[in-house]
């Protein structure tokens, strides 16, 4: 509590901690007096009128009387201390010509370009037009200052965090109406969430300011951690906003989803990426020039190349542009007043290892195998090979793909081409022998064979139909008819096991029943029966 009060007065965390350690840590008054006396001995501020320690501290606390006799002296001292702290801690004595005079906080050139170029308001956001239309949910909620709890779902680099921050900054009475508190589920725990919630309740009670609690990678929280949000969302203590790259249906609990609106963000188009790159290259205050400390000119071909090869990920694109500018600046570092020219070759070098969106257990894993399966089922060999390439380049295990091909060979090709199963099993064995990258062509051959093969799902439908009958206890799952049972012992023969069974090879035309009496007449496999009995 003492630390929070000191921080709310504007003292740096390091100085506050030092003061608490020096005074025993149990009194905010003592710590504040220690800081002020320490500052007065190291600055050139003209001394304030003599006063005891208590009156000069009272102005920081609600218990101060407005009729205090020393109020004038206290105001003067507080103003001097405030000015001193501002000179020492907040405002540089010699601001650089590139200082962000129109920004509330100057952004360091040591931050990544993608972080410095985050949009401040929704009007600065590029892309996601389906969510940011003039009459959209977000625009209407901001206009009325009635933000709902939201879950942003989309691939990396599509603007989940940026839009969340921009929503808060876009409120008509910002920044007084909402306070943005970011947490990451990678590093935060339930205690961090509870501390943020307690602070949010205090602020709402004291000043009416609401807190937007933004949790990045929220899918990493387990069930109990997600449960901790439910009561505070319900009573309005916070506005919850979460960001996830995983399908919320699988990774977020149903009660949390029922209290939130899920917004899907889509990969940015090359045109969107192009606009972001040009904005970064043209911004002289926080843009590309700040990254390398020298003017930068970006070749048109370089922008087009990065835009087309970033797979809709703005972070990848901006990082690649920054790396390209660093490479260009290194070439002219020895030439004074030079301009770093980013070329197509610089862009290619920055993107030499292309990232392909894929995963081994998440939604994209299942999306890709589904696309491969359905393309083969539709006999589109070209599309099937494309999706195979996406899976292989994304790092999918070749044996996993081969196992899926074996299943496909029976499920979708089946009796229309019984050799398809042999091809798929041989593919699996060959992939096991060779491994990657040599087995890629074997997978492609099997995929092409299965895509072009005739299709039949008769066996698939037959086993599913029979399974339904068994699970539904149709006919009460009665026992095996006696004539179909083996009779290896004399006692079993005496009980009628095997009695009346006709050995079919000796009498192919003989008629006998093989289904239980209760299922006589059921037809599971819809397939023409050959009358050829030779062999």
């Amino acid at each position: 509590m003492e630390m929070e009060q000191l921080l709310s007065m504007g003292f740096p965390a390091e100085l506050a901690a030092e003061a608490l350690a020096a005074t025993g840590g149990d009194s905010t008054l003592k710590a504040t007096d220690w800081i002020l006396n320490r500052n007065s001995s190291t600055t050139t501020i003209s001394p304030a009128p003599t006063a005891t320690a208590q009156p000069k501290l009272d102005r920081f606390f609600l218990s101060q009387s407005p009729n205090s006799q020393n109020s004038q002296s206290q105001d003067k001292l507080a103003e001097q201390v405030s000015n001193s702290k501002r000179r020492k801690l907040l405002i540089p004595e010699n601001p650089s010509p590139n200082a962000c005079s129109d920004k509330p906080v100057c952004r360091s050139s040591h931050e990544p370009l993608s972080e410095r170029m985050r949009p401040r308001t929704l009007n600065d956001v590029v892309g996601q037009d389906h969510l940011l239309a003039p009459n959209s949910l977000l625009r209407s909620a901001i206009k009325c200052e009635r933000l709902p709890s939201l879950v942003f779902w989309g691939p990396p680099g599509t603007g989940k965090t940026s839009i969340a921050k921009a929503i808060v900054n876009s409120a008509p009475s910002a920044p007084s109406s909402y306070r943005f508190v970011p947490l990451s589920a990678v590093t935060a725990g339930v205690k961090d969430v509870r501390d943020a919630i307690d602070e949010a309740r205090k602020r709402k009670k004291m000043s009416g300011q609401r807190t937007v609690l933004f949790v990045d990678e929220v899918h990493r929280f387990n069930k109990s951690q997600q449960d901790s949000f439910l009561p505070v969302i319900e009573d309005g203590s916070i506005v919850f906003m979460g960001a996830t790259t995983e399908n919320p249906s699988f990774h977020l609990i149903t009660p949390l989803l029922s209290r939130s609106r899920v917004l899907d963000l889509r990969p940015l188009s090359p045109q969107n990426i192009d606009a972001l790159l040009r904005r970064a290259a043209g911004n002289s205050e926080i843009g590309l020039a700040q990254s390398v400390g020298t003017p930068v000119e970006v070749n048109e071909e370089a922008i087009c190349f990065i835009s087309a090869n970033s797979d809709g990920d703005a972070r990848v694109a901006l990082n690649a542009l920054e790396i390209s500018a660093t490479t260009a600046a290194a070439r002219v570092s020895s030439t004074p007043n030079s301009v770093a020219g980013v070329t197509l070759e610089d862009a290619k070098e920055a993107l030499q290892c292309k990232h392909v969106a894929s995963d081994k257990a998440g939604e994209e894993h299942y999306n890709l195998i589904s696309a491969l399966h359905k393309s083969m089922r539709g006999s589109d060999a070209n599309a099937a090979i494309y999706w195979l390439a996406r899976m292989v380049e994304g790092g999918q295990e070749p044996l996993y793909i081969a196992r899926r091909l074996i299943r496909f060979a029976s499920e979708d090709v089946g009796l229309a081409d019984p050799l398809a199963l042999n091809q798929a099993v041989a593919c699996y064995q060959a992939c096991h022998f060779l491994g990657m990258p040599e087995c890629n062509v074997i997978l492609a051959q099997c995929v092409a064979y299965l895509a072009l093969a005739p299709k039949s799902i008769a066996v698939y439908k037959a086993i599913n139909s029979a399974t339904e009958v068994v699970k539904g206890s149709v006919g009460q799952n009665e026992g095996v008819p006696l004539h179909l049972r083996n009779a290896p012992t004399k006692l079993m023969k005496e009980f009628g096991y095997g009695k009346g069974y006709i050995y079919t090879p000796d009498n192919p035309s003989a008629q006998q029943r093989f289904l239980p009496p209760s299922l006589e007449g059921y037809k599971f496999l819809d397939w023409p029966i050959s009358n050829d009995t030779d062999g």
Side-chain angles (χ1 to χ4, degrees), residues 25 38 78 110 122 134 157 171 195 199 225 254 290 304 310 343 410 465:
R38 178 178 181 273
H110 296 291
L122 286 184
D195 291 344
E199 179 65 20
Q225 289 172 315
T254 302
Q290 283 291 98
C304 293
S310 298
T343 66
S410 285
S465 178

Side-chain angles (χ1 to χ4, degrees), residues 21-246:
T23 59
D26 58 351
S27 172
T28 306
L29 295 176
K30 293 180 182 179
T32 308
D33 185 44
W34 185 89
I35 294 174
L36 294 177
N37 289 334
R38 178 178 181 273
N39 284 345
S40 64
S41 65
T42 58
T43 61
T44 58
I45 302 175
S46 59
T50 305
T52 61
Q54 184 64 38
K56 69 182 180 181
L57 299 179
D58 279 345
R59 66 172 284 100
F60 294 107
F61 301 96
L62 298 177
S63 61
Q64 178 194 2
S65 170
N67 297 321
S68 173
Q69 295 180 354
N70 295 323
S71 61
Q72 184 176 1
S73 300
Q74 295 165 14
D75 291 342
K76 183 179 293 185
L77 176 59
E79 182 179 359
Q80 291 170 343
V81 172
S82 177
N83 290 339
S84 172
K85 285 164 58 183
R86 186 178 294 110
R87 285 197 302 271
K88 292 179 62 179
L89 304 174
L90 301 178
I91 303 176
E93 294 183 1
N94 298 308
S96 67
N98 290 329
C100 315
S101 57
D102 59 336
K103 304 290 190 300
V105 180
C106 284
R107 301 181 183 183
S108 169
S109 61
H110 296 291
E111 286 183 316
L113 178 63
S114 57
E115 186 65 29
R116 299 200 307 271
M117 293 305 299
R118 283 192 187 276
R120 287 196 50 77
T121 68
L122 286 184
N123 293 331
D124 299 328
V125 175
V126 175
Q128 310 306 339
D129 296 336
H130 63 294
L131 299 179
L132 304 178
N135 296 321
S136 65
L137 165 70
L138 289 182
R139 297 281 188 184
S140 301
I142 292 170
K143 185 177 180 180
C144 300
E145 293 199 0
R146 295 286 295 175
L147 295 181
S149 291
L150 301 169
V151 173
F152 298 97
W153 169 36
T158 52
K160 297 183 291 296
T161 303
S162 296
I163 292 178
K165 290 183 177 180
I167 288 174
V168 176
N169 293 331
S170 299
S173 57
S176 60
S177 53
Y178 291 99
R179 182 176 68 111
F180 187 83
V181 176
L183 290 178
S184 173
V186 176
T187 56
V190 172
K191 182 181 183 301
D192 301 290
V193 174
R194 287 175 178 167
D195 291 344
I197 292 171
D198 290 341
E199 179 65 20
R201 284 173 168 161
K202 292 177 184 177
R203 284 183 175 268
K204 185 180 179 184
K205 184 177 181 180
M206 294 179 64
S207 64
Q209 186 184 44
R210 299 192 68 192
T211 296
V212 173
L213 182 59
F214 176 79
V215 183
D216 198 14
E217 307 292 342
V218 65
H219 61 273
R220 293 181 180 270
F221 273 164
N222 59 33
K223 183 180 182 298
S224 63
Q225 289 172 315
Q226 293 182 39
D227 282 335
S228 65
F229 295 118
L230 302 181
V232 290
I233 294 176
E234 196 73 32
D235 64 22
S237 298
I238 64 167
V239 176
F240 172 78
M241 292 188 185
T244 176
T245 57
E246 302 293 341

Side-chain angles (χ1 to χ4, degrees), residues 36 41 107 119 141 164 268 289 298 322 337 341 451 489:
L36 294 177
S41 65
R107 301 181 183 183
L268 300 180
V298 184
E322 189 169 32
N337 301 322
T489 68

Side-chain angles (χ1 to χ4, degrees), residues 360-417:
K360 294 186 178 181
E363 187 192 13
E364 194 62 17
H365 166 83
Y366 297 105
N367 289 343
L368 290 172
I369 193 61
S370 177
L372 173 62
H373 199 126
K374 290 180 172 65
S375 297
M376 292 190 299
R377 180 181 294 154
S379 300
D380 190 334
N382 291 311
I385 290 178
Y386 168 77
W387 293 118
L388 171 66
R390 283 278 298 270
M391 295 186 73
V392 171
E393 289 302 310
Q396 294 289 345
E397 291 291 338
L399 293 183
Y400 165 78
I401 301 174
R403 286 194 296 271
R404 300 309 304 164
L405 297 182
I406 293 175
R407 166 73 182 193
F408 183 91
S410 285
E411 177 181 335
D412 285 271
V413 177
L415 296 177
D417 183 359

Side-chain angles (χ1 to χ4, degrees), residues 320-504:
L321 181 63
E322 189 169 32
I323 294 172
S324 302
T326 302
T327 303
R331 288 197 300 267
V332 297
S333 59
S334 59
T335 306
N337 301 322
S338 58
V339 176
V342 177
T343 66
L344 175 61
E345 287 68 28
D346 295 328
K348 289 182 177 179
E349 180 68 19
L351 280 174
Q352 59 180 315
C353 183
K354 182 174 175 61
H355 170 72
V356 178
S358 182
D359 51 51
K360 294 186 178 181
E363 187 192 13
E364 194 62 17
H365 166 83
Y366 297 105
N367 289 343
L368 290 172
I369 193 61
S370 177
L372 173 62
H373 199 126
K374 290 180 172 65
S375 297
M376 292 190 299
R377 180 181 294 154
S379 300
D380 190 334
N382 291 311
I385 290 178
Y386 168 77
W387 293 118
L388 171 66
R390 283 278 298 270
M391 295 186 73
V392 171
E393 289 302 310
Q396 294 289 345
E397 291 291 338
L399 293 183
Y400 165 78
I401 301 174
R403 286 194 296 271
R404 300 309 304 164
L405 297 182
I406 293 175
R407 166 73 182 193
F408 183 91
S410 285
E411 177 181 335
D412 285 271
V413 177
L415 296 177
D417 183 359
L419 292 178
L421 183 58
N422 295 346
Q423 291 279 340
V425 172
C427 172
Y428 180 91
Q429 293 173 336
C431 289
H432 178 71
F433 293 152
L434 290 180
M436 285 293 293
E438 287 83 358
C439 72
N440 63 342
V441 68
I442 297 169
L443 289 169
Q445 176 182 335
C446 187
V447 164
Y449 182 96
L450 296 176
L452 298 174
K455 307 297 191 297
S456 168
I457 60 171
V459 173
Y460 174 74
K461 292 173 65 176
I463 187 62
N464 285 345
S465 178
T467 301
E468 288 181 8
V469 167
V470 172
K471 288 183 176 180
S473 295
V474 178
Q476 302 302 311
N477 286 333
E478 61 183 294
V480 176
L482 289 175
H483 71 283
L484 296 181
R485 303 185 186 188
N486 285 331
T489 68
K490 180 179 179 182
L491 179 63
M492 297 170 75
K493 289 180 180 178
E494 290 175 354
F495 275 99
Y497 280 46
K499 183 177 181 181
Y501 171 67
I502 302 172
Y503 186 59
T504 305

